[in-house]
Amino acid sequence: MLKKIERRVRVIVTKPFKRPKHPNNKPPPLEEQQPTMEPQHSKKPPTGPFLFPKTQSTVLPDPSQFFPQSLLSTPLPTNSFFQNFTLKAGDQPEYIHPYLIKSSLSSLSLSYPSQFHNSAFIYQVFVADFTISAASDSGPQKGHIISSHSDLSVTLDLPSSNLRFFLVRGSPFVTASVTGNTPVSISTIHAILSFGTSNSNTKCTVKLNNGQTWLLYSSSPINLTQSGLSAITCGGFSGIIRIAVLPDSDPRYESILDRFSACYPVSGDAFFNKPFCLEYKFQKKGWGDLLMLAHPLHIKLLSSDDCDITVLEDFKYKSIDGDLVGVVGDSWVLKPPSVSMTWHSIRGIKEESYDEIVSALRKDVEALNSSAITTPSSYFYGKLIARAARLALIAEEVCFLDVIPVIRKFLKDTIEPWLDGTFKGNGFLYDGKWGGIVTKQGSVDSGADFGFGLYNDHHYHLGYFLYGIAVLVKIDPAWGRKYKPQAYTLMADFMNLGRRENSNYPRLRCFDLYKLHSWAGGLTEFADGRNQESTSEALNAYYSAALMGLAYGDTHLVATGSMLAALEIQAAQTWWQIREEDTLYDNVFTRENRVVGVLWANKRDSGLWFAPPEWRECRLGIQLLPLLPISEVLFSDSGFVRQLVNWTLPALTREGVGEGWKGFVYALEGIYSKENALEKIRNLNGFDDGNSLTNLLWWIHSRGDENEEECGGGGKLCWFGHYCH
């Protein structure tokens, strides 16, 4: 009898998710996939993807100052590594590893940054070590133009200076193309101690009084002369100039830079061609092999078996993200550990725990009342939707299906008004200027919905909506068929993989394919670049998209969501989670912090947007919520979890600590001390608005016995592992 049940479960789980038929029985590459927007079983031909009503936002900046007309007709990036170059005067720096780059009028300045650090924060200091400018007869000085951009690069043109800069992430060289036999000036705020050129006049060595040594290479002879204490000039040049700092002024590195100076990258793209496999391809010019730099997570995930690369372990540049190590090769393959997408807990729940969970579940479901919701906020409303959806899945897991109809009705009543455009006080609209979804409130108020109208936090807000939609599609497939167009457009806003010019959304709005995690900053200028506070809410977005793929039988969406979720987890464990024994950050910062508050491109901050550093329970909670099956993979290192909880617990004695934040601390404590955590959770008298007593009890009772072997990303309920291998 048991075997029959097992066979039945296997059929139920696997049958809806068979690969769609394609020629030669092979699915097209993920890069070519465009989500199907029409409802399933529709007899009418698709008329194009669904769009929410269009709006003319009054708060969005005008992109025409920095983008050429040819790019203005396509969706534009709103959370990219070069976003500062597109905002206001475009003169705030961006961190393009290993240099801070700042563009101003007809010049570009680069800095090999030093770090300032204390127990509260770390940041890199911008100093204009070198500024490149050129004089031409093309009229008055004008700002830069972003002539092209890709996953790993941006090309800046300075039209009034005949300069084009190929800024490719991870290049130890800054590469400039000069046209028109243009006079070039290279200046520094430091004093030049020595200046010398090679016999061929294609290499120049400059030593500065701050201890730095810089190397300049040219594609043809260039006649450089020192002008005063702090400038080098050339009467006229056409060709390629490459500039690199010599790390630590170490002469051992000079021969390496010499060797690879003639091959330069002009762009770089990332490809999702296989499940749990990300490939970088750099387009190069010149001759010889390409030298690039990899950060610590790259080094961890690089697969030398799948690409022809050589890692130069002793060739390093300093970075706030950890040492950047030399990699020779124009094609990289990164392979994160696979993560299976599960609806329910990874370990399962013992039947003797069902009663307590069901008791809480009854009360939480009885309290559901869509008409009582007063918030118009897309963020807080989304959390309430996802909270209710969790109740449905927990009900499935503890075999108490009586409450499913009530939850289904609540989800319909709360989700449909946002998808139909009938929600009073707010709703989703489409902005054609940058290409994406904004809210009614956000389109007229830059502070509304936490800046959603400026493309801030899109993956957070929409991730909660997708979670509720995924669960509703699972329990009501007919509803899912009806609302599939709207569901997929919400997903595509931040998860579009396509590169097509006629797309309605930019490619991967929030996810950074070089850093391998998301940014949340949107179209706001920040001196320290993009930022992200809550990695767990970013993880929720990609996890929820994968679940939606499971509900719709969309294997490509499952694969993409799973891959991005896996990378977000790896990045969080690398840069946000700080173990006592870690050496990535300064000792003083590491000693005082177990988790980063807000991580910036150019800064690490112990504070939060909404709380000071000493509110440690908030720092822990914002890196854990919402509490989901995937949370166990995010916090899979039980040794670190113990360190984090012990670091946080003293903060709970502070007057005024919210019960909701306590719940997240106790949830993590349950990973290594189940009974203690369970007792504390039973005594809570309040919960986060996206959490519930049911969810906390589900989490604790799914911890298993403390002597059980850890199951990592799999587990006995890991039914969908066949998608991940």
Coordinates of all heavy atoms in Angstrom, one line a residue, residues 336-394:
P336 N 27.0 27.8 -9.0 CA 26.6 27.8 -7.6 C 26.0 26.4 -7.2 O 25.6 25.7 -8.1 CB 25.6 28.9 -7.5 CG 24.9 28.9 -8.9 CD 26.1 28.6 -9.8
P337 N 26.1 26.1 -5.9 CA 25.4 24.9 -5.5 C 23.9 24.9 -5.8 O 23.3 26.0 -5.7 CB 25.6 24.8 -4.0 CG 26.8 25.7 -3.7 CD 26.7 26.8 -4.8
S338 N 23.4 23.8 -6.3 CA 22.0 23.8 -6.7 C 21.1 23.9 -5.4 O 21.4 23.5 -4.3 CB 21.6 22.5 -7.4 OG 21.9 21.4 -6.6
V339 N 20.0 24.6 -5.6 CA 19.0 24.8 -4.6 C 17.6 24.3 -5.1 O 17.2 24.8 -6.2 CB 18.9 26.3 -4.1 CG1 17.8 26.4 -3.1 CG2 20.2 26.7 -3.6
S340 N 17.0 23.4 -4.4 CA 15.7 22.9 -4.9 C 14.6 23.8 -4.4 O 14.6 24.3 -3.2 CB 15.5 21.5 -4.4 OG 16.4 20.6 -4.9
M341 N 13.6 24.0 -5.2 CA 12.4 24.9 -4.8 C 11.3 24.0 -4.3 O 10.8 23.1 -5.0 CB 11.9 25.6 -6.1 CG 12.9 26.6 -6.7 SD 13.3 28.0 -5.6 CE 15.0 27.6 -5.0
T342 N 11.0 24.2 -3.0 CA 10.0 23.3 -2.3 C 8.8 24.2 -1.8 O 9.1 25.3 -1.3 CB 10.6 22.6 -1.2 OG1 11.0 23.5 -0.2 CG2 11.7 21.7 -1.6
W343 N 7.6 23.7 -2.0 CA 6.5 24.4 -1.4 C 6.5 24.3 0.1 O 6.1 25.3 0.8 CB 5.2 23.8 -1.9 CG 4.9 24.0 -3.4 CD1 5.0 23.1 -4.4 CD2 4.4 25.2 -4.0 NE1 4.6 23.6 -5.6 CE2 4.2 24.9 -5.4 CE3 4.0 26.4 -3.6 CZ2 3.8 25.8 -6.4 CZ3 3.5 27.4 -4.5 CH2 3.4 27.0 -5.9
H344 N 6.9 23.2 0.6 CA 6.7 22.9 2.0 C 8.1 22.7 2.7 O 9.1 22.9 2.0 CB 5.9 21.6 2.2 CG 4.6 21.6 1.5 ND1 4.2 20.8 0.5 CD2 3.5 22.4 1.7 CE1 3.0 21.1 0.1 NE2 2.5 22.0 0.8
S345 N 8.1 22.4 3.9 CA 9.4 22.4 4.7 C 10.3 21.3 4.1 O 9.8 20.3 3.6 CB 9.1 22.1 6.2 OG 8.5 20.8 6.3
I346 N 11.6 21.5 4.3 CA 12.6 20.6 3.7 C 12.6 19.3 4.5 O 12.7 18.2 3.9 CB 13.9 21.3 3.7 CG1 13.9 22.5 2.7 CG2 15.0 20.3 3.4 CD1 15.2 23.3 2.7
R347 N 12.5 19.4 5.8 CA 12.6 18.2 6.7 C 11.3 17.5 6.9 O 11.3 16.3 7.3 CB 13.2 18.6 8.0 CG 14.6 19.2 7.9 CD 15.1 19.8 9.3 NE 16.4 20.4 9.3 CZ 17.5 19.8 9.6 NH1 17.5 18.5 10.0 NH2 18.6 20.4 9.5
G348 N 10.2 18.2 6.8 CA 8.9 17.7 7.1 C 8.6 17.9 8.6 O 9.4 18.3 9.4
I349 N 7.3 17.6 9.0 CA 6.8 17.8 10.3 C 6.3 16.5 10.8 O 5.5 15.8 10.1 CB 5.7 18.9 10.3 CG1 6.3 20.2 9.8 CG2 5.2 19.0 11.8 CD1 5.2 21.3 9.7
K350 N 6.6 16.1 12.1 CA 6.1 14.9 12.7 C 4.6 15.1 13.0 O 4.2 16.2 13.5 CB 6.9 14.6 13.9 CG 8.4 14.1 13.6 CD 9.2 13.8 14.8 CE 10.6 13.3 14.4 NZ 11.4 13.0 15.6
E351 N 3.9 14.0 12.9 CA 2.4 14.1 13.1 C 2.1 14.6 14.5 O 1.1 15.2 14.7 CB 1.8 12.8 12.8 CG 1.7 12.5 11.3 CD 0.8 11.3 11.0 OE1 -0.1 11.0 11.9 OE2 1.0 10.6 10.0
E352 N 2.9 14.2 15.5 CA 2.6 14.6 16.9 C 2.6 16.2 17.1 O 2.1 16.7 18.1 CB 3.5 14.0 17.9 CG 5.0 14.2 17.6 CD 5.6 13.0 16.9 OE1 4.9 12.4 16.0 OE2 6.8 12.7 17.2
S353 N 3.2 16.9 16.1 CA 3.2 18.3 16.2 C 2.1 19.0 15.5 O 1.9 20.2 15.6 CB 4.5 18.9 15.6 OG 5.7 18.3 16.3
Y354 N 1.3 18.2 14.8 CA 0.2 18.8 14.0 C -0.8 19.6 14.8 O -1.2 20.7 14.4 CB -0.5 17.7 13.2 CG 0.2 17.2 12.0 CD1 1.5 17.5 11.7 CD2 -0.5 16.3 11.1 CE1 2.1 17.0 10.6 CE2 0.1 15.8 10.0 CZ 1.4 16.1 9.7 OH 2.1 15.6 8.6
D355 N -1.2 19.0 15.9 CA -2.3 19.6 16.7 C -2.0 21.1 17.1 O -2.9 22.0 17.0 CB -2.6 18.8 17.9 CG -3.3 17.5 17.6 OD1 -3.8 17.4 16.5 OD2 -3.3 16.6 18.5
E356 N -0.8 21.3 17.6 CA -0.5 22.7 18.0 C -0.5 23.6 16.8 O -1.0 24.8 16.9 CB 0.9 22.7 18.7 CG 1.2 24.1 19.2 CD 2.5 24.2 19.9 OE1 3.4 23.2 19.8 OE2 2.8 25.2 20.7
I357 N 0.0 23.2 15.7 CA 0.0 24.0 14.5 C -1.4 24.3 14.0 O -1.8 25.4 13.6 CB 0.9 23.4 13.4 CG1 2.3 23.3 13.8 CG2 0.8 24.2 12.1 CD1 3.2 22.5 12.9
V358 N -2.2 23.2 14.0 CA -3.6 23.4 13.5 C -4.4 24.3 14.4 O -5.2 25.1 13.9 CB -4.3 22.0 13.4 CG1 -5.8 22.1 13.3 CG2 -3.7 21.2 12.3
S359 N -4.1 24.3 15.7 CA -4.8 25.2 16.6 C -4.5 26.6 16.3 O -5.4 27.5 16.3 CB -4.4 24.9 18.1 OG -5.0 25.8 19.0
A360 N -3.3 26.9 16.1 CA -2.9 28.3 15.7 C -3.4 28.6 14.3 O -3.9 29.8 14.0 CB -1.4 28.4 15.7
L361 N -3.4 27.7 13.4 CA -3.9 27.9 12.0 C -5.3 28.3 12.0 O -5.8 29.2 11.3 CB -3.6 26.6 11.2 CG -4.0 26.6 9.7 CD1 -3.3 27.7 9.0 CD2 -3.8 25.2 9.1
R362 N -6.2 27.6 12.8 CA -7.6 27.9 12.9 C -7.8 29.4 13.2 O -8.6 30.1 12.6 CB -8.3 27.1 13.9 CG -8.5 25.6 13.6 CD -9.2 24.9 14.8 NE -9.4 23.5 14.5 CZ -10.4 22.9 14.0 NH1 -11.4 23.7 13.5 NH2 -10.5 21.6 13.8
K363 N -7.1 29.8 14.2 CA -7.2 31.2 14.7 C -6.7 32.2 13.7 O -7.4 33.3 13.4 CB -6.5 31.4 16.0 CG -7.1 30.6 17.2 CD -6.3 30.8 18.4 CE -6.8 29.9 19.6 NZ -6.0 30.1 20.8
D364 N -5.6 31.9 13.0 CA -5.0 32.9 12.1 C -5.9 33.0 10.8 O -6.1 34.0 10.2 CB -3.6 32.4 11.6 CG -2.6 32.8 12.7 OD1 -2.8 33.8 13.4 OD2 -1.6 32.1 12.8
V365 N -6.5 31.8 10.4 CA -7.4 31.9 9.3 C -8.7 32.6 9.6 O -9.3 33.3 8.8 CB -7.7 30.4 8.7 CG1 -8.8 30.4 7.7 CG2 -6.4 29.8 8.2
E366 N -9.3 32.3 10.8 CA -10.5 33.0 11.2 C -10.3 34.5 11.2 O -11.3 35.3 11.0 CB -10.9 32.5 12.6 CG -11.5 31.1 12.6 CD -11.7 30.6 14.0 OE1 -11.4 31.4 15.0 OE2 -12.2 29.5 14.2
A367 N -9.1 35.0 11.5 CA -8.9 36.4 11.5 C -8.7 37.1 10.2 O -8.6 38.3 10.1 CB -7.6 36.7 12.4
L368 N -8.6 36.3 9.1 CA -8.4 36.9 7.8 C -9.7 37.7 7.4 O -10.8 37.1 7.4 CB -8.2 35.8 6.7 CG -6.9 35.0 6.8 CD1 -6.8 33.9 5.8 CD2 -5.7 35.9 6.7
N369 N -9.5 38.9 7.0 CA -10.6 39.8 6.6 C -10.0 40.8 5.6 O -9.4 41.8 6.0 CB -11.2 40.4 7.9 CG -12.4 41.3 7.5 OD1 -12.8 41.4 6.4 ND2 -13.0 41.9 8.5
S370 N -10.3 40.6 4.4 CA -9.7 41.5 3.4 C -10.3 42.9 3.5 O -9.6 43.9 3.2 CB -10.0 41.0 2.0 OG -11.4 40.9 1.7
S371 N -11.5 43.1 4.0 CA -12.1 44.4 4.1 C -11.6 45.2 5.2 O -11.7 46.4 5.3 CB -13.7 44.3 4.3 OG -14.0 43.6 5.4
A372 N -10.9 44.5 6.1 CA -10.3 45.2 7.3 C -8.9 45.8 7.0 O -8.3 46.5 7.8 CB -10.2 44.3 8.5
I373 N -8.3 45.5 5.8 CA -7.0 46.0 5.4 C -7.1 47.5 5.1 O -7.9 47.9 4.2 CB -6.4 45.2 4.2 CG1 -6.3 43.7 4.6 CG2 -5.1 45.8 3.8 CD1 -5.8 42.9 3.4
T374 N -6.3 48.3 5.8 CA -6.4 49.7 5.6 C -5.2 50.3 4.8 O -5.3 51.4 4.3 CB -6.5 50.4 6.9 OG1 -5.4 50.1 7.8 CG2 -7.8 50.0 7.7
T375 N -4.1 49.6 4.8 CA -2.9 50.1 4.1 C -3.1 50.1 2.6 O -3.5 49.1 2.0 CB -1.7 49.3 4.5 OG1 -0.5 49.9 3.8 CG2 -1.8 47.8 4.1
P376 N -2.7 51.2 1.9 CA -2.7 51.2 0.5 C -1.2 50.9 -0.1 O -1.0 50.9 -1.3 CB -3.1 52.6 0.1 CG -2.5 53.4 1.2 CD -2.6 52.6 2.5
S377 N -0.3 50.7 0.9 CA 1.1 50.5 0.5 C 1.3 49.2 -0.3 O 0.9 48.1 0.2 CB 2.0 50.5 1.7 OG 3.3 49.9 1.5
S378 N 1.9 49.2 -1.4 CA 2.2 48.0 -2.2 C 3.1 47.0 -1.4 O 3.0 45.8 -1.5 CB 2.9 48.3 -3.5 OG 4.0 49.1 -3.3
Y379 N 4.0 47.6 -0.5 CA 4.9 46.7 0.3 C 4.1 46.0 1.4 O 4.1 44.8 1.5 CB 6.0 47.5 0.8 CG 6.9 46.7 1.8 CD1 7.8 45.8 1.3 CD2 6.9 46.9 3.1 CE1 8.7 45.1 2.1 CE2 7.7 46.2 4.0 CZ 8.6 45.3 3.5 OH 9.4 44.6 4.3
F380 N 3.4 46.8 2.2 CA 2.7 46.2 3.4 C 1.5 45.3 2.9 O 1.2 44.3 3.5 CB 2.3 47.2 4.4 CG 3.5 47.9 5.1 CD1 3.8 49.2 4.9 CD2 4.3 47.1 5.9 CE1 4.9 49.8 5.5 CE2 5.4 47.7 6.6 CZ 5.7 49.1 6.4
Y381 N 0.9 45.8 1.9 CA -0.2 45.0 1.3 C 0.3 43.6 0.8 O -0.3 42.6 1.0 CB -0.9 45.7 0.2 CG -2.4 45.3 0.0 CD1 -3.4 46.1 0.5 CD2 -2.6 44.2 -0.8 CE1 -4.7 45.7 0.2 CE2 -3.9 43.8 -1.0 CZ -5.0 44.5 -0.5 OH -6.3 44.1 -0.7
G382 N 1.4 43.7 0.1 CA 2.0 42.5 -0.4 C 2.4 41.5 0.7 O 2.2 40.3 0.5
K383 N 2.9 42.0 1.8 CA 3.2 41.2 2.9 C 2.0 40.4 3.5 O 2.1 39.3 3.9 CB 3.9 42.0 4.0 CG 5.3 42.4 3.7 CD 6.0 43.2 4.8 CE 6.4 42.2 6.0 NZ 7.1 42.9 7.0
L384 N 0.9 41.1 3.5 CA -0.3 40.5 4.1 C -0.8 39.4 3.1 O -1.3 38.4 3.6 CB -1.4 41.6 4.3 CG -1.1 42.6 5.3 CD1 -2.2 43.7 5.3 CD2 -1.0 42.0 6.7
I385 N -0.7 39.6 1.8 CA -1.0 38.6 0.9 C -0.2 37.3 1.1 O -0.7 36.2 1.2 CB -0.9 39.1 -0.6 CG1 -2.0 40.2 -0.9 CG2 -1.0 38.0 -1.6 CD1 -1.8 40.9 -2.2
A386 N 1.1 37.6 1.2 CA 2.1 36.4 1.3 C 1.9 35.7 2.6 O 2.0 34.5 2.7 CB 3.5 36.9 1.1
R387 N 1.6 36.5 3.7 CA 1.3 35.9 5.0 C 0.2 34.9 4.9 O 0.2 33.8 5.4 CB 1.0 37.0 6.0 CG 0.6 36.5 7.4 CD 0.2 37.6 8.3 NE -0.2 37.2 9.6 CZ -1.5 36.7 9.9 NH1 -2.4 36.7 8.9 NH2 -1.7 36.3 11.1
A388 N -0.9 35.3 4.2 CA -2.1 34.4 4.1 C -1.7 33.2 3.2 O -2.2 32.0 3.5 CB -3.3 35.1 3.5
A389 N -0.9 33.4 2.2 CA -0.6 32.3 1.3 C 0.3 31.2 2.1 O 0.1 30.0 1.8 CB 0.2 32.8 0.1
R390 N 1.1 31.7 3.0 CA 1.8 30.7 3.9 C 0.9 29.8 4.6 O 1.1 28.6 4.8 CB 2.7 31.5 4.9 CG 3.9 32.2 4.3 CD 5.0 31.3 3.9 NE 5.4 30.3 4.9 CZ 5.4 29.0 4.7 NH1 5.1 28.5 3.5 NH2 5.7 28.1 5.6
L391 N -0.2 30.4 5.1 CA -1.2 29.6 5.9 C -1.7 28.4 5.0 O -2.0 27.3 5.5 CB -2.3 30.5 6.4 CG -1.9 31.6 7.3 CD1 -3.2 32.4 7.7 CD2 -1.2 31.1 8.6
A392 N -2.0 28.7 3.7 CA -2.5 27.7 2.9 C -1.5 26.5 2.7 O -1.9 25.3 2.7 CB -2.8 28.2 1.5
L393 N -0.2 26.8 2.5 CA 0.8 25.8 2.3 C 1.0 25.0 3.6 O 1.2 23.8 3.6 CB 2.1 26.4 1.8 CG 2.0 27.0 0.4 CD1 3.4 27.6 0.0 CD2 1.5 25.9 -0.6
I394 N 1.0 25.7 4.8 CA 1.1 25.0 6.0 C -0.1 24.1 6.3 O 0.1 23.0 6.8 CB 1.2 26.0 7.2 CG1 2.6 26.8 7.0 CG2 1.2 25.4 8.5 CD1 2.7 28.0 8.0

